Amino acid sequence: MANERPKADVVIVGLGWAGSVMAEELTRAGLNVVAIERGKWRDTSTDFPPAVDPDELKWHTRRQMLAAPSRETYTFRNRSSQTAAPTREWSAFQFGENVGGAGTHWAGMSWRFSPWDFEVATRTEDRYGRARLDALRAEGLLLQDWGITYDDLAEDYDRFERIAGTSGIAGNLNGEIRPGGNPFEGPRSRDYPTPPLKDSYWMARYRDTTTRMGYHPFTIPAGNLGQAYVNPLGVSMGPCTYCGFCDFHGCGNYSKSSPQACILPVLMRRPNFTVLTETQALNAVKSEDGKTVTGVRYVGSDGQGEGFQPADIVIFTAYQMDNVRLMLLSRIGEQYDPSTMQGTIGRNYNYQTCSSVTGYFDGAKMNPFISAGAMAVQIDDLNGDNFDHADLDFIGGAGMMSVQTQGRPIALANTLRPGTSRWGSGWKEGFSKSYNEAATLFNQGTSMSTRDAYLSLDPTYEDRFGQPLLRITFDWNRNDKAMMRHITDKAQAIMQEAGADAMTTDLQTENSWNPYTQLSSHTIGGLVMGADPTTSALNPYCQSWDCHNVFSVGANCFPNNAGYNPTVTIGALAIRAAKAIHSTYVNNPGPLVEA
Amino acid sequence: MNRREALFSIGAAAAGAGIAGRASAAELRGVPAATAQTADHMPGPIVRGGDFKVFTDQTDHATLKAVFDRLIPSDDHGPSASEAGVLDFLDAQLAGPYGDGAAYYLEGPLQPGHEEEVMGQKQFLETPRQRYAKGLKALEQYAQDNDGASFAALSPDRIDEILTGMEAGRIDLPGGVFGQAFFELMLQNAREGYLSDPIYGGNRDFAGWTMIGFPGARYDYRAYVDRHNEDLALAPVSLIPSN
């Protein structure tokens, strides 16, 4: 093949969080790793130093660090009976691009999932009975365990937090509940690497209010560091300065966890690591027997057109949707078909069920510009299965957080008391008050996948290389809508108790889902892990059931979504998969789990 | 070489790669030697205004000013959009990649009614610059047809009435311009100009940031984070001081 490169032990597609973590683990074990990254080299001092960063228009409004829809987009429809339409403008999803991927411009919310999230099927049956589980499945929910438990992942969670320098306060230390932390979290072997961020006025007020109401508030774990820190790789990080330019922005202070701030300074100096930037992976190429792949086809930026990177192991660590699309373009496994329930690629697509309740406090000075991407006090009393669902018509729940995450004026210009004009002197009068008087309670909920929600290739629309775009077929399901109504009612009661004189609510689940109006960027599933090859594309080590030298790590692995942000779970899964590769797979290439 | 041997050929592969000399512009081994800051990430150059590249037609210019100064009028809370440089801002934006629609997926086929139904809003293959060119002419035509006058000559109340009708989806414009979609485009851009860093040409003298109390391109609030519910009276700053 033209432009065939020297063979690598491992080729990684996508050098974001998952790719960086795996490359670090695999190169440290002595493997020769080549990463293929469609974007450019990006680093703190050259691309987002403090003199560049505090610019809402460039980074947030125009999203200059993200992959633009013109470079890659997706099509969408609510139901299989519809023809999908392409998402032409910026949407809820934040396709990462460039070295660091979405890990460069994420907010930093650094959660472990709860033990329940990994075993929704088993735990629902254990607590509410087989009939309840069967009834939920009969209405179309694809409830299934992940094939691993929280305990299986605890050590890898710990490792990722140490690399990232996560700030926070432990609520469950080896089974002992600790004051000030989250009493509902899974057990941790030690406290967070750095102390929690400070409270803003809104967070303190929320903490007081929820305590009075009998809830258990705590400062959320953050990739915005509570103090200076040196991680286990020897990389120094700085303390967060509360500048308020986190998500959509890079961090110039080395104080937001990212591949650049935490891993790349070490990884790039290893002689057995190479990254091909501005190089678009097209697909993996199957061997003759179809049981393995031989490497990755790509289009390079060097003007030489198509090339091939041979490797013994291929790992897809691109954005969730890209991982699914790469599997389909590589013809690995079978496309899921909702009418027959056959096939696993594209199955279990799900999202993040959210609402927000904004309160207005006359005369208050919330100072929203003093903020950090993961600055919030949360209650988990109504998250996951932390409350009794016996008499409720849904499973799941939401983390309810008082966010102090940004004070960007353009983004907040619609945060107005009810009845305020969106323009004219009425808008100026209203916004001049509400900018400082508004405070938001963000409810980040669980999502269950369903029979009808899935990913596939679009028959009409193509990317710039003539390859089909990915097509999303998705709408809210009854369970998740009922859950979010329940949570939003509770949130409004809290906001009332906190003393808001007016309130606005954004409850997207009351409308058909569409990508332009959503509150979360978390696109989940479609290439999920599990113990059963008929219902999962990947085994519990994120290894393809169909081609044993193909692995994929990303939010695509989650059969259901937790009421938490996905990054730390992705990082932990990446470490787990990489350890399995270098400790077991390389000595005995083949399926790590028997089907 | 069988798979097992291949996987254990690490030493040879690493050494081989080191002397291969195949490095193209895209191949990075080690941190890049070049330390220049990435040009399109750097702020500036500052938009000084007054030199219109897109709004060169006098009627278009007057129509846009008439709309923007009703979306953001001059009052006790600060200057109007045009006084704050928002027209200069938009002209510069439309002359660049934003005006080109460089970020948008503009491949066909466009299925207008169907795409709107699925996506919940109108979809376009036109760039923002093309939408303004068409939309401003359509506003002028609308005024001529309905009021027998130029749009810019209409009274503030009459302009508000038209804008209110567009916002509510009750008024579409001649030439197939969707009133509501064009209204939303203009409102978004007017706010952007009023509330973005002054280096982009709008928010002149920090008009927008002063209105709401946003201190601008600051980078360290550690000294203030514990001062709860307090007016910190921080003067706004720009990425680059421009006057």
Side-chain angles (χ1 to χ4, degrees), chain B residues 9-23:
Chain B
S9 68
I10 306 155
I19 56 169
R22 292 177 50 94

Side-chain angles (χ1 to χ4, degrees), chain A residues 532-586:
Chain A
D532 178 354
T534 67
T535 60
S536 59
L538 309 172
N539 72 21
Y541 294 96
C542 303
Q543 179 186 33
S544 166
W545 287 112
D546 296 288
C547 285
H548 65 72
N549 67 339
V550 173
F551 293 76
S552 178
V553 178
N556 53 277
C557 296
F558 310 169
N560 52 276
N561 199 8
Y564 302 110
N565 307 62
T567 295
V568 172
T569 298
I570 295 168
L573 289 175
I575 291 167
R576 176 180 161 85
K579 287 195 316 199
I581 290 168
H582 71 66
S583 67
T584 305
Y585 184 83
V586 294

Side-chain angles (χ1 to χ4, degrees), chain A residues 271-283:
Chain A
N272 52 340
F273 180 71
T274 302
V275 54
L276 307 178
T277 58
E278 299 177 71
T279 301
Q280 175 82 36
L282 299 174
N283 59 278

Side-chain angles (χ1 to χ4, degrees), chain A residues 65-66 94-96 101-107 246-249 256:
Chain A
M65 211 177 289
L66 275 62
Q94 296 162 24
F95 283 77
T104 305
H105 55 70
W106 71 312
C246 279
D247 61 329
F248 297 86
H249 302 250
K256 181 171 77 176

Side-chain angles (χ1 to χ4, degrees), chain A residues 421-491:
Chain A
S421 174
R422 297 170 58 233
W423 51 281
S425 285
W427 172 72
K428 292 178 77 176
E429 168 73 19
F431 189 37
S432 70
K433 283 177 64 66
S434 66
Y435 177 77
N436 237 324
E437 295 179 356
T440 293
L441 179 46
F442 183 62
N443 309 301
Q444 180 166 249
T446 52
S447 279
M448 300 301 145
S449 55
T450 69
R451 195 172 51 209
D452 299 328
Y454 71 107
L455 302 175
S456 53
L457 294 176
D458 191 90
T460 305
Y461 294 96
E462 297 177 338
D463 69 8
R464 65 198 198 283
F465 302 107
Q467 301 208 101
L469 295 179
L470 195 70
R471 176 176 64 186
I472 298 176
T473 304
F474 180 79
D475 208 346
W476 306 110
N477 65 63
R478 185 211 59 83
N479 180 81
D480 294 350
K481 291 200 292 195
M483 179 276 290
M484 200 36 78
R485 274 186 212 117
H486 179 84
I487 293 295
T488 305
D489 285 348
K490 302 284 186 189

Side-chain angles (χ1 to χ4, degrees), chain A residues 207-225:
Chain A
R207 196 186 288 280
D208 290 347
T209 304
T210 50
T211 300
R212 203 161 59 234
M213 296 173 79
Y215 295 119
H216 300 84
F218 60 95
T219 308
I220 73 167
N224 321 116
L225 270 58

